[in-house]
Amino acid sequence: MPHLLDHYQPLPAAMGSPKLKTVPKAIYNHLRGFPIVNGEHAQLSAKVQDYVEQSAALCQPDKIHIVDGSEEESNMLLTMLHSQGTIQPLPKYDNCWLARTNPADVARVESKTFICTENREQAIPTPKEGIKGALGNWISPEDYDTAIQNRFPGCMKGRTMYVVPFSMGPIASPLSKVGIEITDSAYVVNSMRVMTRMGHEVLDKLADNSDFVKCLHSVGTPANGKISMPSWPCDPERTIILHKPENNEIVSYGSGYGGNSLLGKKCFALRIGSTIAKREGWLAEHMLILGITNPNGDKKYIAAAFPSACGKTNLAMMNPTLPGYKVECVGDDIAWMKFDSKGQLRAINPENGFFGVAPGTSSATNPNAMKTIHKNTIFTNVASTSDGGVFWEGMEDELTPGVQITDWLGQPWTPNQSKNPAAHPNSRFCAPASQCPIIDPAWEDNEGVPISAILFGGRRPEGVPLVYEANSWSHGVFIGSAMRSESTAAAEHKGKVIMNDPFAMRPFFGYNFGDYLQHWLSMEQRAAQAGGDAPKIFHVNWFRKDGHGKFLWPGFGENSRVLDWIIRRIDGEECYQQTPIGRIPSQGSINLDGLNQRVDEKQLFSIPKKFWLKEVDEIKQYYDNQLPHDLPQQIGNELQDLKNRVEQM
Ligand code: GTP
Ligand code: SPV
Ligand code: MN
C-alpha cells in the first residue's frame, strides 16, 4: 500500500511546520486512467464522477486527490506548499502561514469576468449606443467554449488535480447549496477548507446523485510555458473567470487569488447564487450580517451591503463604544436571505471563514479580527517580521521594538523610510469564522437569523450624510440602485474615482441588473403575502470628509451610535426629521455621550442642495447610459420624486 505522501514530492522536513501524524489510508484507484492518490472513486456519485472524469480528460493532471477535509490532509498540503516556497510559517502564532503571490496576481479582475447566456440581455443590460456597459460582461456560448479550449487542454500536466466538495451554508441547512471545486492549487484547497464546509460530509450529501455547482479552476501556465514565479504559478495575461448560470457552472483560469480562485465566494455565492435566488425567490447579496443587543437585552439582526474594502468586516465585528451594547457577528461578506412562511426575512452566512482586508485592521480598529487571526490563518501578501509575525499598514503601534520587517515582495522595509507600503493594499487574512471571539451563537442556525434592517453604504467623501432612512421599500431599492463609492484596491481599478456600485454588487451580478431591481422590488409583496413586513432600509456613510480631507466621523466602534439610532427607528421611535433625500436623525437624537472627540454634527448631516442636484443628475445619466431599456418604471419614478423634492429645497 503506497503512503499518501509518496505521491507528493519533494518533501524535506520543514522547519516550524506542523508534524505529520497519521495520514489517511491511500487506496490506489483511478478515474479513466488518472490515478487517485487520496480517496476512492466509489465515494463519488455518478454525477460527480462524470464531472471529475471530464475535467481530468480536459486538464490532463498527473493524479487526482479527492479532498477529505481532515486536519492530517491540511497539514500535509501545508507542508508541501512550504517546501515549494509558496507559503512560509509564522512561528509567532499557532498554525499560521504567509503566502506571497506573483505581484501580477493580487486582486479580482473584473474586466476578465464574464457571464455566459444564450442572449446578452439575460446577463447584462444593453447600454445606450456608444456607451460602454459597466454592469458586468457577457460572453456568448461559442466564445465561452473557445475560451476554455484555448486555455484548459493539458493545463494540469505535471500537477495534482484536487477535487474539493464543499457546502455554502451549514451542511444541514435547507438554505445551503453544494459545489465541487476542481483545482490544481493546494493553496486554494487549504483556503477553501477555511472559507467553506469542505470534505467527505459533503460527498455524503451528494450520495443521492443530486446536483451541485460545478467549479473548475486552474492557475494555468503561460502560453510560452514559462512560469515566472514557480512558487505562485499563474497566467495573468490569459486570466478569465467564466460563469454559465444555466448549467450552474463556473470556470476560472489563470489566477490563484481570492475571489478569482476561491470559487465558493463571489463566483458561486453571489454570481451563480443570485441567478438561483432569482429563480427560487430569494436574495444572494454582498452583505455582512450582525446581531446587536441593546442595554435592555433586546436583540436584532442587521444586514449591510458596502462595496469591497468599504467596512463590512469591521462593522460585522465591531466593539460598540456605546455602553450596554453588544455586537455579534454572523458573517462579514455574503448573505443569503429568504422570507420565511411568516413573511420574516431570514439570512444565513454561506461562508465558514473570513477573507478579510489586512491593512487598516488593528487592535484599535478591529480587536475582534485581531483575536481571530492568531491561529489556523493563511495570510496573503502581508509583510512579515523577524520575530515570525505579520505586519501591515495600521499595525505600527503593535510592532515589537527592534524587529525587522520584510515587505510583501520579500524586501527589507523600514517604517517612515520605505516609499511603498509594507503590505499590498489588498493583502488579506483567511481565518475560520468560529475563531471570532464575538461569533454569534446563531451563526450556524439552519433557518438563518431574522433580519430587521438592511443598510447600504459606501465611501462618499462629500455630500452624503452619516445616516438616512428610506421612506419606503421602493425608495430603499432606489437608494441601493444609486449607490456610489470611491474605488479601492480590491479589484484592478486605479485611483480613487467615485464609481457607481449598485447594491455593492456591480462586480457580482449573475444576471441583468434591471431584472435584479425588479426582483428586489417584488420582495415587498412576497413579505406581505406571507403576512410579514419587508425590513426598513437605511444608507450610511462613515467616510465623509471635511475641507481638509479629514474624516468627519471617527467610525469603527463609534458606528454603534448610528446602529443605536437605527434600531430605535425599527422600534418606532419618532427620532427623525424628514428631508428631501429621506429621514435623518432629528437634532440630538444620535447619542454622542462620551465620544472622546468633537464631531461637527452640522457638517455630518448637511444635505447641500447643489451637491444633491448634481447627484440626481448623475444618477439620471447613469440610468440613461447603463439601463436605457431595463430600468423598472418604479425606480425611474423614485428618481423623479427625489429630483422634485431636492429642487424644492
Ligand atoms: P471586502 O472584504 O473587500 O468585501 O471588504 P469589507 O467591506 O469587509 O471592508 P473592511 O471592513 O475590511 O474595511 C476595509 C478598509 O476600510 C479597512 O482598511 C478599514 O480599516 C477601513 N474602515 C472600515 N470601517 C471604517 C470606518 O468606520 N471608518 C473608516 N475611516 N475606515 C473604516
Ligand atoms: C471583495 O473583493 O469584495 C472580497 C475579496 O471580499 S474577494 O474574495 O477577492 O472577492
Ligand atoms: Mn467582499
Side-chain angles (χ1 to χ4, degrees), residues 108 265-266 270 286 306-309 312 332-334 351 355 428 490 504 508:
R108 282 183 294 101
K265 201 173 178 50
K266 300 298 155 81
L270 292 180
H286 192 201
F306 311 153
S308 299
K312 287 184 300 302
D332 80 326
D333 200 50
I334 299 177
E351 301 193 277
F355 187 67
R428 301 261 170 175
F508 310 122

Side-chain angles (χ1 to χ4, degrees), residues 240-363:
I240 196 161
I241 324 288
L242 302 164
H243 307 72
K244 197 183 247 187
E246 194 190 336
N247 297 359
N248 280 342
E249 182 175 271
I250 300 156
V251 179
S252 166
Y253 175 91
S255 163
Y257 205 87
N260 298 336
S261 69
L262 313 180
L263 300 188
K265 201 173 178 50
K266 300 298 155 81
C267 298
F268 179 163
L270 292 180
R271 298 195 192 96
I272 294 294
S274 65
T275 66
I276 300 174
K278 171 80 178 6
R279 280 201 299 275
E280 297 182 352
W282 49 278
L283 300 166
E285 300 299 329
H286 192 201
M287 292 182 180
L288 69 95
I289 309 164
L290 65 82
I292 177 161
T293 308
N294 74 9
N296 298 330
D298 192 22
K299 183 165 187 176
K300 288 189 171 57
Y301 289 94
I302 294 175
F306 311 153
S308 299
C310 290
K312 287 184 300 302
T313 303
N314 277 271
L315 191 67
M317 295 184 194
M318 173 225 285
N319 262 355
T321 52
L322 262 191
Y325 269 93
K326 181 162 87 175
V327 164
E328 287 161 297
C329 175
V330 176
D332 80 326
D333 200 50
I334 299 177
W336 282 358
M337 306 194 289
K338 188 177 185 172
F339 284 99
D340 68 13
S341 57
K342 298 197 180 81
Q344 168 67 57
L345 189 63
R346 290 192 166 268
I348 63 164
N349 167 17
E351 301 193 277
N352 193 40
F354 308 119
F355 187 67
V357 179
T361 309
S362 70
S363 299

